Amino acid sequence: LIIDQFGAKFGSAFGRVMFSASAEDAAPAADDLSAALAWLEAQASSSGPFIMGAELTLVDAALAPFYIRLQLLEKLGLYSMPDGLPKLSAWGEAVVAHPAVAGTMCPPDPSQPYMEQLLAQTKEYVAKRKAAMAK
């Protein structure tokens, strides 16, 4: 239930932020994204660092890609995670560091960091998509 509800809240807002023409256009979607993160913060266990508690579960594995996408938005300068989400901050760090998740983050070019390659690919994709939308 957490996976489905968060995915519905985050997915739409993420796309609207990513493909907005300007920061001003992205503001309503950024507010929706912040609301989705606040909702997930409220669902997260206080005994974390994972969403359901001390152990990694399917919920964490399923939501890890959302956290990685959130990092992309931040690196692109399109969004900053709001303050006041300590459980999500701890969860994000713990989930990407967990061997079950970290082992899936395999860069196409092993000589360069995963996030740098993902960021470069995302910038290229966003530019092409925005150009196509402008036509």
Side-chain angles (χ1 to χ4, degrees), residues 7-119:
K9 295 171 189 300
F10 183 94
S12 172
F14 172 84
R16 290 180 298 152
V17 169
M18 178 71 83
F19 300 112
S20 291
S22 68
E24 184 177 295
D25 290 341
D31 290 344
D32 291 345
L33 192 54
S34 294
L37 294 172
W39 179 88
L40 186 59
E41 173 82 11
Q43 308 309 307
S45 170
S46 295
S47 63
F50 300 105
I51 297 296
M52 304 304 290
E55 301 294 324
L56 183 83
T57 67
L58 177 59
V59 171
D60 303 297
L63 296 182
F66 293 105
Y67 180 75
I68 293 166
R69 288 181 181 100
L70 183 62
Q71 288 180 308
L72 284 173
L73 286 180
E74 288 182 332
K75 289 183 182 298
L76 291 168
L78 300 173
Y79 180 80
S80 293
M81 193 161 117
D83 294 330
L85 302 175
K87 291 186 279 185
L88 279 188
S89 295
W91 169 77
E93 291 175 18
V95 78
V96 296
H98 193 283
V101 174
T104 67
M105 298 167 56
C106 302
D109 178 356
S111 70
Q112 295 183 23
Y114 173 80
M115 191 52 100
E116 286 180 22
Q117 291 181 62
L118 187 58
L119 183 60

